[in-house]
Amino acid sequence: MNIEQLREYCLKKKGVTEDFPFDADTLVFKVLGKMFALFPLEKWEAGEGWVNLKCDPEYALELRAEYESIQPGWHMSKTNWNSVLIYKGELQTKFILELIDHSYDMVVKAMPKKLREQLS
């Protein structure tokens, strides 16, 4: 799975935008202004693609225990974010997309009802 496929997948979700709020290297996807996925482009270009995704804290611990390719979020809250090391090849495409969906859903779920209604 390449970064362009992941980018297209993220952009198809309702209310999603992309930008570079931190630096020219970190591509960030937001739903209604709230981050749900961060891609370090420099790592992708070096063949070490990974993504930071928001995750339910208990589920995050389960995933980290089960998969070597899922680690505490790099430069993020270790409780609420995972770094998903796609380049290792351990994780199936369908599962990676499910993790992106989970991240998106976690962010949407935390929004006030008025904002969530904009996505209906």
Side-chain angles (χ1 to χ4, degrees):
M1 172 152 257
N2 67 46
I3 192 167
E4 192 55 37
Q5 291 169 309
L6 293 172
R7 179 181 173 269
E8 289 174 15
Y9 186 80
C10 289
L11 288 174
K12 286 181 183 176
K13 296 186 162 302
K14 286 187 177 185
V16 170
T17 57
E18 64 180 337
D19 67 357
F20 292 87
F22 304 114
D23 55 38
D25 179 56
T26 309
L27 175 60
V28 177
F29 291 90
K30 298 178 181 181
V31 53
L32 300 179
K34 300 291 184 182
M35 297 186 306
F36 74 94
L38 297 88
F39 292 84
L41 298 181
E42 206 170 84
K43 293 291 186 181
W44 281 85
E45 290 168 5
E48 299 174 357
W50 57 273
V51 59
N52 273 342
L53 298 170
K54 191 146 192 161
C55 192
D56 172 79
E58 288 181 25
Y59 186 43
L61 293 174
E62 290 173 26
L63 291 170
R64 293 173 197 165
E66 188 170 345
Y67 299 100
E68 181 182 319
S69 297
I70 300 178
Q71 302 175 356
W74 191 71
H75 279 312
M76 304 296 282
S77 162
K78 307 300 185 223
T79 303
N80 298 303
W81 290 84
N82 282 331
S83 290
V84 179
L85 310 178
I86 296 169
Y87 74 95
K88 289 193 175 250
E90 175 186 19
L91 308 173
Q92 298 295 315
T93 298
K94 181 181 178 198
F95 183 55
I96 294 166
L97 298 179
E98 289 171 3
L99 293 174
I100 291 171
D101 292 342
H102 176 74
S103 181
Y104 176 91
D105 292 344
M106 288 288 300
V107 173
V108 170
K109 185 173 76 173
M111 291 179 173
K113 184 179 179 181
K114 188 174 182 176
L115 280 179
R116 288 193 313 266
E117 289 173 349
Q118 292 180 25
L119 299 172
S120 300

